[in-house]
Amino acid sequence: MIAHADDARVVVYTRQGCHLCEIAEQQVAEVCAATGDTWVRVDIDDDPDLRARFTEQVPVTFVDGAQHDFWRVDPTRLQKALARRR
């Protein structure tokens, strides 16, 4: 598990200037607002290990510490994942 989530259920790994990241963050924020779950954004450029691992694969979403999606967020799939409790 590599997620830097503290208590957030969803982690979105992003980088500056990434259009897909902006869309993913908006979708995650909307889903989490509807479900009452927490989420956090982590910029991979702030961490050399994350930058090496994900490079151009961002955005990458993790749910409960496990990789869920990359490049795009499927809101329905995310809602289903969040419906399952840790």
Side-chain angles (χ1 to χ4, degrees):
M1 178 178 352
I2 64 157
H4 299 123
D6 297 324
D7 292 325
R9 288 199 67 199
V10 181
V11 179
V12 182
Y13 291 96
T14 67
R15 66 180 349 151
Q16 293 294 323
C18 169
H19 177 69
L20 290 178
C21 297
E22 294 170 6
I23 294 168
E25 288 177 45
Q26 180 180 4
Q27 290 173 315
V28 168
E30 289 171 2
V31 170
C32 287
T35 64
D37 290 295
T38 56
W39 74 282
V40 65
R41 174 190 186 275
V42 175
D43 188 325
I44 66 166
D45 291 324
D46 293 336
D47 183 316
D49 293 331
L50 292 175
R51 188 172 51 246
R53 176 166 180 177
F54 296 124
T55 56
E56 299 300 320
Q57 192 179 34
V58 292
V60 180
T61 56
F62 277 64
V63 174
D64 296 331
Q67 187 170 341
H68 179 72
D69 272 324
F70 65 95
W71 289 335
R72 303 212 184 267
V73 172
D74 178 333
T76 302
R77 184 171 130 72
L78 180 58
Q79 279 185 317
K80 287 179 183 178
L82 291 172
R84 295 186 294 268
R85 288 288 160 203
R86 307 180 224 194

Coordinates of all heavy atoms in Angstrom, one line a residue:
M1 N 0.9 -1.2 0.0 CA 0.0 0.0 0.0 C 0.9 1.2 0.0 O 1.8 1.3 0.8 CB -0.9 0.0 1.2 CG -1.8 1.2 1.3 SD -3.0 1.3 2.7 CE -3.0 -0.2 3.5
I2 N 0.7 2.2 -0.9 CA 1.5 3.4 -1.0 C 0.7 4.6 -0.8 O 1.2 5.7 -0.7 CB 2.2 3.5 -2.3 CG1 1.2 3.6 -3.4 CG2 3.1 2.3 -2.6 CD1 1.7 4.3 -4.7
A3 N -0.6 4.5 -0.6 CA -1.5 5.7 -0.5 C -1.1 6.6 0.7 O -0.9 6.1 1.8 CB -2.9 5.3 -0.5
H4 N -0.9 7.8 0.4 CA -0.7 8.8 1.5 C -2.0 9.4 1.8 O -2.4 10.5 1.4 CB 0.3 9.9 1.0 CG 1.6 9.4 0.6 ND1 2.1 9.6 -0.6 CD2 2.5 8.7 1.3 CE1 3.3 9.1 -0.7 NE2 3.6 8.5 0.4
A5 N -2.8 8.7 2.6 CA -4.2 9.1 2.7 C -4.6 9.6 4.1 O -5.7 10.1 4.3 CB -5.1 7.9 2.3
D6 N -3.8 9.3 5.1 CA -4.2 9.6 6.5 C -5.6 8.8 6.7 O -5.6 7.6 6.6 CB -4.3 11.1 6.8 CG -3.0 11.8 6.7 OD1 -2.0 11.1 7.1 OD2 -3.0 12.9 6.3
D7 N -6.7 9.6 6.8 CA -8.0 8.9 7.0 C -8.9 9.0 5.8 O -10.0 8.6 5.9 CB -8.7 9.6 8.2 CG -8.0 9.2 9.5 OD1 -7.4 8.1 9.6 OD2 -8.0 10.1 10.4
A8 N -8.4 9.5 4.7 CA -9.2 9.6 3.5 C -9.4 8.3 2.8 O -8.5 7.5 2.7 CB -8.6 10.6 2.5
R9 N -10.6 8.0 2.4 CA -10.9 6.7 1.7 C -10.4 6.8 0.3 O -10.0 5.7 -0.3 CB -12.4 6.5 1.7 CG -12.9 6.1 3.1 CD -14.2 5.4 3.0 NE -14.1 4.1 2.3 CZ -15.1 3.4 1.8 NH1 -16.3 3.9 1.9 NH2 -14.9 2.2 1.3
V10 N -10.4 7.9 -0.4 CA -10.0 8.0 -1.8 C -8.8 9.0 -1.9 O -8.8 10.0 -1.3 CB -11.1 8.6 -2.6 CG1 -10.7 8.7 -4.1 CG2 -12.4 7.8 -2.5
V11 N -7.8 8.5 -2.6 CA -6.6 9.3 -2.9 C -6.5 9.4 -4.4 O -6.6 8.5 -5.1 CB -5.3 8.6 -2.4 CG1 -4.1 9.5 -2.7 CG2 -5.4 8.4 -0.9
V12 N -6.3 10.7 -4.8 CA -6.1 10.9 -6.3 C -4.7 11.4 -6.5 O -4.4 12.5 -6.0 CB -7.1 12.0 -6.8 CG1 -7.0 12.2 -8.3 CG2 -8.6 11.6 -6.5
Y13 N -3.9 10.7 -7.2 CA -2.5 11.1 -7.5 C -2.6 11.9 -8.8 O -3.1 11.4 -9.8 CB -1.6 9.8 -7.6 CG -1.4 9.2 -6.3 CD1 -2.2 8.1 -5.9 CD2 -0.5 9.6 -5.4 CE1 -2.0 7.5 -4.7 CE2 -0.3 9.0 -4.2 CZ -1.1 8.0 -3.8 OH -0.9 7.4 -2.6
T14 N -2.0 13.1 -8.7 CA -2.1 14.0 -9.9 C -0.8 14.7 -10.1 O 0.2 14.4 -9.4 CB -3.2 15.1 -9.6 OG1 -2.7 15.9 -8.5 CG2 -4.5 14.5 -9.2
R15 N -0.8 15.6 -11.1 CA 0.3 16.5 -11.2 C -0.2 17.8 -11.9 O -1.2 17.8 -12.5 CB 1.4 15.8 -12.1 CG 1.1 15.6 -13.5 CD 2.2 14.9 -14.3 NE 3.5 14.9 -13.7 CZ 4.4 14.0 -13.9 NH1 4.2 13.0 -14.8 NH2 5.6 14.1 -13.4
Q16 N 0.6 18.8 -11.7 CA 0.2 20.1 -12.2 C 0.1 20.1 -13.7 O 0.9 19.4 -14.4 CB 1.2 21.2 -11.8 CG 1.2 21.5 -10.3 CD -0.1 22.1 -9.8 OE1 -0.7 22.9 -10.5 NE2 -0.5 21.7 -8.6
G17 N -0.9 20.8 -14.3 CA -1.0 20.9 -15.7 C -1.6 19.7 -16.4 O -1.6 19.6 -17.6
C18 N -2.2 18.8 -15.6 CA -2.8 17.6 -16.2 C -4.3 17.8 -16.3 O -5.0 17.9 -15.3 CB -2.5 16.4 -15.2 SG -3.4 14.9 -15.6
H19 N -4.8 17.9 -17.5 CA -6.2 18.2 -17.7 C -7.1 17.0 -17.2 O -8.1 17.2 -16.6 CB -6.5 18.4 -19.2 CG -7.9 18.6 -19.5 ND1 -8.7 19.7 -19.1 CD2 -8.8 17.8 -20.2 CE1 -9.9 19.6 -19.5 NE2 -10.0 18.4 -20.2
L20 N -6.6 15.8 -17.5 CA -7.4 14.6 -17.0 C -7.4 14.6 -15.4 O -8.4 14.2 -14.8 CB -6.8 13.3 -17.5 CG -6.9 13.0 -19.0 CD1 -6.2 11.7 -19.3 CD2 -8.4 12.9 -19.4
C21 N -6.4 15.1 -14.8 CA -6.3 15.1 -13.3 C -7.4 16.1 -12.8 O -8.1 15.8 -11.8 CB -5.0 15.6 -12.8 SG -3.6 14.4 -13.3
E22 N -7.6 17.2 -13.5 CA -8.6 18.2 -13.0 C -10.0 17.6 -13.1 O -10.8 17.8 -12.2 CB -8.5 19.4 -13.9 CG -7.2 20.2 -13.7 CD -7.0 21.3 -14.7 OE1 -7.9 21.6 -15.5 OE2 -5.9 21.9 -14.7
I23 N -10.2 16.9 -14.2 CA -11.5 16.2 -14.4 C -11.7 15.2 -13.3 O -12.8 15.1 -12.7 CB -11.7 15.6 -15.8 CG1 -11.7 16.7 -16.9 CG2 -12.9 14.8 -15.9 CD1 -11.5 16.3 -18.3
A24 N -10.7 14.3 -13.1 CA -10.8 13.3 -12.1 C -11.1 13.8 -10.7 O -11.9 13.3 -10.0 CB -9.5 12.4 -12.1
E25 N -10.4 14.9 -10.4 CA -10.6 15.5 -9.0 C -12.0 16.0 -8.9 O -12.6 15.8 -7.8 CB -9.6 16.7 -8.8 CG -8.2 16.2 -8.6 CD -7.2 17.4 -8.5 OE1 -7.6 18.4 -7.8 OE2 -6.2 17.4 -9.2
Q26 N -12.5 16.6 -9.9 CA -13.9 17.1 -9.8 C -14.9 15.9 -9.7 O -15.8 16.0 -8.8 CB -14.3 17.9 -11.1 CG -15.7 18.4 -11.1 CD -16.0 19.2 -12.4 OE1 -15.2 19.3 -13.3 NE2 -17.2 19.7 -12.4
Q27 N -14.7 14.9 -10.4 CA -15.6 13.7 -10.3 C -15.5 13.0 -9.0 O -16.5 12.7 -8.4 CB -15.3 12.7 -11.4 CG -15.6 13.2 -12.8 CD -15.2 12.3 -13.9 OE1 -14.0 11.8 -13.9 NE2 -16.1 12.0 -14.9
V28 N -14.3 12.9 -8.5 CA -14.1 12.3 -7.1 C -14.7 13.2 -6.1 O -15.4 12.7 -5.2 CB -12.6 12.0 -6.8 CG1 -12.4 11.7 -5.4 CG2 -12.0 10.9 -7.7
A29 N -14.5 14.5 -6.2 CA -15.1 15.4 -5.2 C -16.6 15.3 -5.2 O -17.3 15.2 -4.1 CB -14.7 16.8 -5.5
E30 N -17.2 15.2 -6.4 CA -18.7 15.1 -6.5 C -19.2 13.7 -5.9 O -20.2 13.7 -5.1 CB -19.1 15.2 -7.9 CG -19.0 16.6 -8.5 CD -19.2 16.7 -10.0 OE1 -19.5 15.7 -10.6 OE2 -19.1 17.8 -10.5
V31 N -18.5 12.6 -6.2 CA -18.9 11.3 -5.7 C -18.8 11.3 -4.2 O -19.7 10.9 -3.5 CB -18.2 10.2 -6.4 CG1 -18.4 8.9 -5.6 CG2 -18.5 10.1 -7.8
C32 N -17.7 11.8 -3.7 CA -17.4 11.8 -2.2 C -18.4 12.7 -1.5 O -18.8 12.4 -0.4 CB -16.0 12.1 -1.9 SG -14.8 10.7 -2.3
A33 N -18.7 13.8 -2.1 CA -19.7 14.7 -1.5 C -21.1 14.0 -1.4 O -21.8 14.1 -0.3 CB -19.9 16.0 -2.3
A34 N -21.4 13.2 -2.4 CA -22.7 12.5 -2.4 C -22.7 11.3 -1.4 O -23.7 11.0 -0.8 CB -23.0 12.0 -3.8
T35 N -21.5 10.6 -1.2 CA -21.5 9.5 -0.3 C -21.0 9.8 1.1 O -21.2 9.0 2.0 CB -20.5 8.4 -0.9 OG1 -19.1 9.0 -0.9 CG2 -20.9 7.9 -2.3
G36 N -20.5 11.0 1.3 CA -20.0 11.4 2.6 C -18.6 10.9 2.9 O -18.2 10.9 4.1
D37 N -17.9 10.4 1.9 CA -16.6 9.9 2.1 C -15.6 11.0 1.9 O -15.8 12.0 1.3 CB -16.3 8.7 1.1 CG -17.1 7.5 1.5 OD1 -16.9 6.9 2.6 OD2 -18.0 7.1 0.7
T38 N -14.4 10.7 2.4 CA -13.3 11.7 2.3 C -12.4 11.4 1.2 O -12.2 10.2 0.8 CB -12.5 11.8 3.6 OG1 -12.0 10.5 3.9 CG2 -13.4 12.3 4.8
W39 N -11.7 12.4 0.7 CA -10.7 12.2 -0.4 C -9.6 13.2 -0.2 O -9.8 14.2 0.4 CB -11.3 12.3 -1.8 CG -11.7 13.6 -2.2 CD1 -12.8 14.4 -1.9 CD2 -11.0 14.4 -3.2 NE1 -12.8 15.6 -2.5 CE2 -11.7 15.6 -3.3 CE3 -9.8 14.3 -3.9 CZ2 -11.3 16.7 -4.1 CZ3 -9.4 15.3 -4.7 CH2 -10.1 16.5 -4.8
V40 N -8.5 12.9 -0.8 CA -7.3 13.8 -0.8 C -6.6 13.7 -2.1 O -6.6 12.7 -2.8 CB -6.4 13.5 0.4 CG1 -5.8 12.1 0.2 CG2 -5.3 14.5 0.6
R41 N -6.0 14.9 -2.5 CA -5.2 15.0 -3.7 C -3.7 14.9 -3.3 O -3.3 15.6 -2.4 CB -5.5 16.3 -4.4 CG -4.6 16.6 -5.6 CD -4.9 18.1 -6.0 NE -4.2 18.3 -7.2 CZ -2.9 18.7 -7.3 NH1 -2.2 18.8 -6.2 NH2 -2.3 19.0 -8.4
V42 N -2.9 14.1 -4.0 CA -1.5 14.0 -3.8 C -0.8 14.3 -5.1 O -1.0 13.6 -6.1 CB -1.1 12.6 -3.3 CG1 0.5 12.6 -3.2 CG2 -1.7 12.4 -2.0
D43 N 0.1 15.4 -5.1 CA 0.8 15.7 -6.3 C 2.0 14.8 -6.4 O 2.9 14.9 -5.5 CB 1.2 17.2 -6.3 CG 1.8 17.7 -7.6 OD1 2.5 16.9 -8.2 OD2 1.6 18.9 -7.9
I44 N 2.1 14.0 -7.5 CA 3.3 13.1 -7.6 C 4.6 13.8 -7.8 O 5.6 13.2 -7.4 CB 3.1 12.0 -8.7 CG1 3.1 12.7 -10.0 CG2 1.8 11.2 -8.4 CD1 3.2 11.7 -11.2
D45 N 4.6 15.0 -8.2 CA 5.8 15.7 -8.5 C 6.5 16.2 -7.2 O 7.6 16.6 -7.2 CB 5.6 16.9 -9.4 CG 5.3 16.5 -10.8 OD1 5.8 15.5 -11.3 OD2 4.4 17.2 -11.5
D46 N 5.7 16.1 -6.0 CA 6.3 16.4 -4.7 C 7.0 15.2 -4.1 O 7.6 15.4 -3.0 CB 5.2 16.9 -3.8 CG 4.6 18.2 -4.2 OD1 5.3 19.0 -5.0 OD2 3.4 18.5 -3.8
D47 N 7.0 14.1 -4.7 CA 7.6 12.8 -4.2 C 8.3 12.1 -5.3 O 7.6 11.5 -6.2 CB 6.5 12.0 -3.5 CG 7.0 10.8 -2.8 OD1 7.8 10.1 -3.4 OD2 6.5 10.5 -1.7
P48 N 9.6 12.0 -5.2 CA 10.3 11.3 -6.3 C 9.9 9.8 -6.5 O 9.9 9.3 -7.6 CB 11.8 11.3 -5.8 CG 11.9 12.4 -4.8 CD 10.5 12.5 -4.2
D49 N 9.5 9.1 -5.4 CA 9.1 7.7 -5.6 C 7.8 7.6 -6.3 O 7.6 6.8 -7.2 CB 9.0 7.0 -4.2 CG 10.3 6.9 -3.5 OD1 11.4 6.7 -4.2 OD2 10.4 6.9 -2.3
L50 N 6.8 8.5 -6.0 CA 5.5 8.5 -6.7 C 5.7 8.9 -8.1 O 5.1 8.3 -9.0 CB 4.6 9.5 -6.0 CG 4.1 9.0 -4.6 CD1 3.2 10.1 -4.0 CD2 3.4 7.7 -4.6
R51 N 6.6 9.9 -8.4 CA 6.8 10.4 -9.7 C 7.4 9.2 -10.6 O 7.0 9.0 -11.7 CB 7.7 11.6 -9.7 CG 7.9 12.2 -11.1 CD 8.7 13.5 -11.0 NE 9.9 13.4 -10.3 CZ 10.2 14.0 -9.2 NH1 9.4 14.8 -8.6 NH2 11.4 13.9 -8.6
A52 N 8.3 8.5 -10.0 CA 8.9 7.3 -10.7 C 7.9 6.2 -11.0 O 7.9 5.6 -12.0 CB 10.1 6.8 -9.9
R53 N 7.0 6.0 -10.0 CA 6.0 4.9 -10.1 C 4.9 5.2 -11.1 O 4.6 4.4 -11.9 CB 5.4 4.6 -8.8 CG 4.3 3.6 -8.9 CD 3.9 3.0 -7.6 NE 2.8 2.0 -7.9 CZ 2.3 1.3 -7.0 NH1 2.6 1.4 -5.8 NH2 1.3 0.4 -7.3
F54 N 4.4 6.5 -11.1 CA 3.2 6.8 -11.9 C 3.6 7.6 -13.2 O 2.7 7.5 -14.1 CB 2.2 7.6 -11.1 CG 1.6 6.8 -9.9 CD1 1.7 7.3 -8.6 CD2 1.0 5.6 -10.1 CE1 1.2 6.6 -7.6 CE2 0.5 4.8 -9.1 CZ 0.6 5.3 -7.8
T55 N 4.7 8.2 -13.3 CA 5.1 9.1 -14.4 C 3.9 9.7 -15.1 O 3.3 10.6 -14.6 CB 6.0 8.3 -15.4 OG1 5.3 7.1 -15.8 CG2 7.3 8.0 -14.8
E56 N 3.5 9.2 -16.3 CA 2.5 9.7 -17.1 C 1.1 9.0 -16.9 O 0.2 9.2 -17.7 CB 2.8 9.7 -18.6 CG 4.1 10.6 -18.9 CD 3.9 12.0 -18.5 OE1 2.8 12.6 -18.7 OE2 4.9 12.6 -18.0
Q57 N 1.0 8.1 -15.9 CA -0.2 7.3 -15.7 C -1.3 8.1 -15.0 O -2.4 7.6 -14.9 CB 0.2 6.1 -15.0 CG -0.9 5.0 -14.9 CD -0.5 3.8 -14.2 OE1 0.3 3.9 -13.2 NE2 -0.9 2.6 -14.6
V58 N -1.0 9.3 -14.5 CA -1.9 10.1 -13.7 C -3.1 10.6 -14.6 O -2.9 10.7 -15.8 CB -1.2 11.3 -13.0 CG1 -0.3 10.8 -12.0 CG2 -0.6 12.2 -14.0
P59 N -4.2 10.8 -14.0 CA -4.5 10.6 -12.5 C -4.7 9.1 -12.2 O -5.1 8.3 -13.0 CB -5.8 11.3 -12.3 CG -6.5 11.2 -13.6 CD -5.4 11.3 -14.7
V60 N -4.3 8.8 -11.0 CA -4.5 7.4 -10.5 C -5.3 7.6 -9.2 O -5.0 8.4 -8.3 CB -3.1 6.8 -10.1 CG1 -3.3 5.4 -9.6 CG2 -2.2 6.7 -11.3
T61 N -6.4 6.8 -9.1 CA -7.2 6.8 -7.9 C -7.0 5.5 -7.1 O -6.9 4.4 -7.7 CB -8.7 7.0 -8.2 OG1 -9.1 6.0 -9.1 CG2 -9.0 8.4 -8.8
F62 N -6.9 5.7 -5.8 CA -6.9 4.6 -4.8 C -8.1 4.7 -3.9 O -8.5 5.8 -3.6 CB -5.6 4.7 -3.9 CG -4.4 4.1 -4.6 CD1 -3.8 4.7 -5.7 CD2 -3.8 3.0 -4.0 CE1 -2.7 4.2 -6.3 CE2 -2.6 2.5 -4.5 CZ -2.1 3.1 -5.7
V63 N -8.7 3.6 -3.6 CA -9.8 3.5 -2.7 C -9.4 2.5 -1.6 O -9.0 1.4 -1.8 CB -11.1 3.0 -3.4 CG1 -12.2 2.8 -2.3 CG2 -11.5 4.0 -4.4
D64 N -9.5 3.0 -0.3 CA -9.1 2.2 0.8 C -7.7 1.6 0.7 O -7.4 0.5 1.0 CB -10.1 1.1 1.1 CG -11.5 1.7 1.5 OD1 -11.5 2.8 2.1 OD2 -12.5 1.1 1.2
G65 N -6.8 2.4 0.1 CA -5.4 2.0 0.0 C -5.0 1.1 -1.2 O -3.9 0.7 -1.4
A66 N -6.0 0.7 -2.0 CA -5.8 -0.1 -3.2 C -6.0 0.6 -4.5 O -7.0 1.4 -4.5 CB -6.7 -1.4 -3.1
Q67 N -5.2 0.4 -5.5 CA -5.4 1.1 -6.7 C -6.8 0.7 -7.3 O -7.1 -0.4 -7.4 CB -4.3 0.8 -7.7 CG -4.4 1.7 -9.0 CD -3.2 1.6 -9.9 OE1 -2.1 1.2 -9.5 NE2 -3.4 2.0 -11.1
H68 N -7.5 1.8 -7.7 CA -8.8 1.6 -8.3 C -8.9 1.9 -9.8 O -9.5 1.1 -10.5 CB -9.8 2.6 -7.5 CG -11.2 2.5 -7.9 ND1 -12.0 1.5 -7.7 CD2 -11.9 3.4 -8.6 CE1 -13.2 1.7 -8.2 NE2 -13.2 2.9 -8.8
D69 N -8.4 3.0 -10.2 CA -8.4 3.4 -11.6 C -7.2 4.3 -12.0 O -6.5 4.8 -11.1 CB -9.7 4.3 -11.9 CG -10.9 3.5 -12.3 OD1 -10.7 2.4 -13.0 OD2 -12.0 3.9 -11.9
F70 N -7.0 4.4 -13.3 CA -6.0 5.4 -13.7 C -6.5 6.1 -15.0 O -7.3 5.5 -15.7 CB -4.6 4.8 -13.9 CG -4.4 3.8 -14.9 CD1 -4.0 4.1 -16.2 CD2 -4.7 2.5 -14.6 CE1 -3.9 3.1 -17.2 CE2 -4.6 1.5 -15.6 CZ -4.2 1.8 -16.9
W71 N -6.0 7.2 -15.3 CA -6.4 8.1 -16.4 C -7.8 8.7 -16.3 O -8.0 9.8 -16.6 CB -6.2 7.4 -17.7 CG -4.7 7.2 -18.1 CD1 -3.6 8.0 -17.7 CD2 -4.2 6.2 -19.0 NE1 -2.5 7.5 -18.2 CE2 -2.8 6.4 -19.0 CE3 -4.7 5.2 -19.7 CZ2 -2.0 5.6 -19.8 CZ3 -3.9 4.4 -20.4 CH2 -2.5 4.6 -20.5
R72 N -8.8 7.9 -16.0 CA -10.1 8.4 -16.0 C -10.8 7.8 -14.8 O -10.5 6.7 -14.3 CB -10.9 8.0 -17.2 CG -10.2 8.5 -18.5 CD -11.3 8.8 -19.5 NE -10.6 9.2 -20.8 CZ -10.3 10.5 -21.1 NH1 -10.6 11.4 -20.3 NH2 -9.8 10.7 -22.3
V73 N -11.8 8.5 -14.3 CA -12.7 8.1 -13.2 C -14.0 7.7 -13.7 O -14.6 8.5 -14.4 CB -12.8 9.2 -12.1 CG1 -13.8 8.8 -11.0 CG2 -11.4 9.4 -11.4
D74 N -14.5 6.6 -13.4 CA -15.9 6.2 -13.7 C -16.7 6.4 -12.4 O -16.5 5.6 -11.4 CB -15.9 4.7 -14.1 CG -17.3 4.2 -14.4 OD1 -18.3 4.7 -13.9 OD2 -17.4 3.2 -15.2
P75 N -17.5 7.4 -12.4 CA -18.2 7.8 -11.1 C -19.1 6.6 -10.6 O -19.1 6.4 -9.4 CB -19.1 9.0 -11.5 CG -18.3 9.6 -12.7 CD -17.7 8.5 -13.4
T76 N -19.7 5.9 -11.5 CA -20.6 4.8 -11.0 C -19.7 3.7 -10.4 O -20.0 3.2 -9.3 CB -21.4 4.2 -12.2 OG1 -22.1 5.2 -12.8 CG2 -22.2 3.0 -11.8
R77 N -18.6 3.4 -11.0 CA -17.7 2.4 -10.4 C -17.1 2.8 -9.1 O -17.0 2.0 -8.1 CB -16.6 2.1 -11.4 CG -15.6 1.0 -11.1 CD -14.7 0.7 -12.3 NE -13.3 0.7 -12.0 CZ -12.7 -0.2 -11.3 NH1 -13.3 -1.2 -10.8 NH2 -11.4 -0.1 -11.1
L78 N -16.8 4.1 -9.0 CA -16.3 4.7 -7.7 C -17.3 4.6 -6.6 O -17.0 4.2 -5.5 CB -15.8 6.1 -7.9 CG -15.2 6.8 -6.7 CD1 -14.1 6.0 -6.1 CD2 -14.8 8.2 -7.0
Q79 N -18.6 5.0 -7.0 CA -19.7 4.9 -6.0 C -19.8 3.4 -5.5 O -20.0 3.2 -4.3 CB -21.0 5.4 -6.6 CG -21.1 6.8 -6.5 CD -22.5 7.3 -7.0 OE1 -23.0 6.8 -8.0 NE2 -23.1 8.2 -6.3
K80 N -19.8 2.5 -6.4 CA -19.9 1.1 -6.0 C -18.7 0.7 -5.0 O -18.9 -0.1 -4.1 CB -19.9 0.2 -7.2 CG -21.2 0.2 -7.9 CD -21.2 -0.6 -9.1 CE -22.5 -0.5 -9.9 NZ -22.6 -1.3 -11.1
A81 N -17.5 1.1 -5.3 CA -16.4 0.8 -4.5 C -16.5 1.4 -3.1 O -16.2 0.8 -2.1 CB -15.1 1.3 -5.1
L82 N -17.1 2.6 -3.1 CA -17.2 3.3 -1.8 C -18.4 2.7 -1.0 O -18.4 2.8 0.2 CB -17.4 4.8 -2.0 CG -16.2 5.5 -2.5 CD1 -16.5 6.9 -2.9 CD2 -15.1 5.4 -1.5
A83 N -19.3 2.0 -1.7 CA -20.4 1.4 -1.0 C -20.0 0.2 -0.1 O -20.6 -0.2 0.8 CB -21.5 1.0 -1.9
R84 N -18.9 -0.4 -0.6 CA -18.2 -1.5 0.2 C -17.4 -0.9 1.3 O -16.6 0.0 1.0 CB -17.4 -2.3 -0.7 CG -18.1 -3.1 -1.8 CD -17.2 -4.0 -2.6 NE -16.2 -3.3 -3.4 CZ -16.3 -3.0 -4.6 NH1 -17.4 -3.2 -5.3 NH2 -15.3 -2.4 -5.3
R85 N -17.7 -1.2 2.5 CA -16.9 -0.7 3.6 C -15.6 -1.4 3.8 O -15.5 -2.6 3.6 CB -17.8 -0.7 4.9 CG -18.9 0.3 4.8 CD -18.3 1.6 5.0 NE -19.3 2.6 4.5 CZ -18.9 3.8 4.1 NH1 -17.7 4.2 4.2 NH2 -19.8 4.7 3.7
R86 N -14.6 -0.7 4.3 CA -13.3 -1.3 4.6 C -13.5 -2.5 5.5 O -14.2 -2.6 6.4 CB -12.4 -0.3 5.3 CG -12.3 1.0 4.6 CD -11.4 1.9 5.4 NE -12.0 3.2 5.4 CZ -11.4 4.3 5.8 NH1 -10.1 4.2 6.2 NH2 -11.9 5.4 5.7

